Amino acid sequence: MEKDFFSAYIRNLSKTEREISQEFDIQYKEKQEMESRSLDVLREISRKLDKLDCLEKTIERTQIPQSLTQMVQAVYADIAILNGNVVLPDQGVFHANVYIKNGKILAVGQHLMQAKRSIDATNQYVLPGIIDPHVHLGLFAPMQRELATETKSAVMGGITTIGCYLGGQQSHFSSFPEIQKQVQQFSYTDIIPHFVISTEEQKKEIQDYVTHFGITSFKVYMNGIPGMIPDVDDGFIWEVMGELKKARNPCILCVHAENRHLVAQASKIVKDTIGANATIEDWSDTHPDMVEEEAVMRLSYLAQKSGVSVYFVHMTSKAAIERLRKMKPFHFCIHVETTSPYLSLTRHSTADNKMKMEPPFRESEDVEALWKALEDDVVDTVGTDNVTMTKAEKQLDQNMWDVLPGYPALETHLTVLLHEGVVKRKIPIEKLVTHITKKPAEIFGIYPKKGTLLPGSDADVVIVDMQKSLKVYAEQLHSRSDFSLYEGKQMQGVPVMTIQKGNIVMENGIFVGTSPNGTCFRR
């Protein structure tokens, strides 16, 4: 059976259309040859929905799952999104309607269908709900509190699914069951759980995590955060890879890739030279780009030898990206992530210590190299590396060395990418959207449930007005944090509606969600 059953569904629909309709005119045939197959799919689905009897027979003959038959037969939708520019990842942009029923995408096409509520999306873009694969919650406040505030902030910005890294020194068996309950009670987004592996106990339990929790993504830190997150050596990482290789389901290892010894040496040099007068620009010198470049080479080698897929989180530097550009075609187990902050800010963007992060911000040429890598598919996904904290928790009143790394970034994520990528750099919106919807869903094993707008997928949708702009003020955002990296910045390309599993949770900048309904994915 094909992993993506929608492919078989679409092929069978296409085949049946040719069998039952011989009345294609010459213009349509010419377009069929010139345009992408996805455009044909949308037209065929639309024509089928106008001929329900034929479609019903088609579904019976092709043995499409009964649940899909019921969705197609139920022609009274809950929500109709009309006249929008629908973005289908890896396919293109189509002028079409999207219909939602029972929390699922019912149909996409140009036909008209009755619905309880109709939404006019004329001149707006209709996207799959955004997936942020890299988020940290519960570090500076109780998990249940941040699930409530930060997932609300996420849906306000068009994010409907987040990948949350769960750490600590305890066994995940002692902490994760409670987190699962809290997600159901407090989260407005669905959660992809990633387990951090930093102790011998956690390493020995990896196969049990896969079996009992359905966790298939794990993380190690080649360079940790002093006082917060321990780093591990190559021997430990190699043993983790061995456990992942033996697991019952395919697993992926997420890696914070920096050479810890070179970071320590560079940090000592800067501290000895500048001392307490060091600025946020000096902070970047404590993590020179070579520490990232060397680490991706080393881990790529281990991945090749072990046969375990690796996912490099938050890549920042041109040096590392160019190294990955050379290696990736020959290492099919490599996946690459960067973040919206690294795609939009440099070490010179502000003198404020609120920018302190690990890895640090770099130069303009690094930002442009990251965008080029996204266009070339060297970069697979874009996250935020969100770490929610207040100014007080970040210790902004201290000197640079004592300020903690991290910042909130969920609510501004999509707008930053649209402004910097689509508006400023003229990157096609469908190109960007693929990297923040379908690709993370595929890499982390939740496609096609998430990451697309094809029939049967979860009805996670964000509607974007590319003509609308906003000026960012932290006090108007919905995070519990009290600062933003983009304070006072004017940006264009704004989400105006978010739908999560068929429920409208944000409309015209106002939170309208009723109750949390988050789920932790088993994979």
Side-chain angles (χ1 to χ4, degrees), residues 49 52 55-56 59 66-79 99-102 104-107 111 113-115:
L49 285 166
L52 290 176
L55 181 55
E56 188 174 336
I59 293 173
Q66 184 63 27
S67 59
L68 190 54
T69 306
Q70 294 168 349
M71 282 189 285
V72 176
Q73 290 173 333
V75 295
Y76 198 98
D78 296 326
I79 298 174
Y99 297 98
I100 295 170
K101 188 172 182 66
N102 296 331
K104 302 288 184 180
I105 301 295
L106 173 65
H111 59 283
M113 183 185 298
Q114 288 185 312

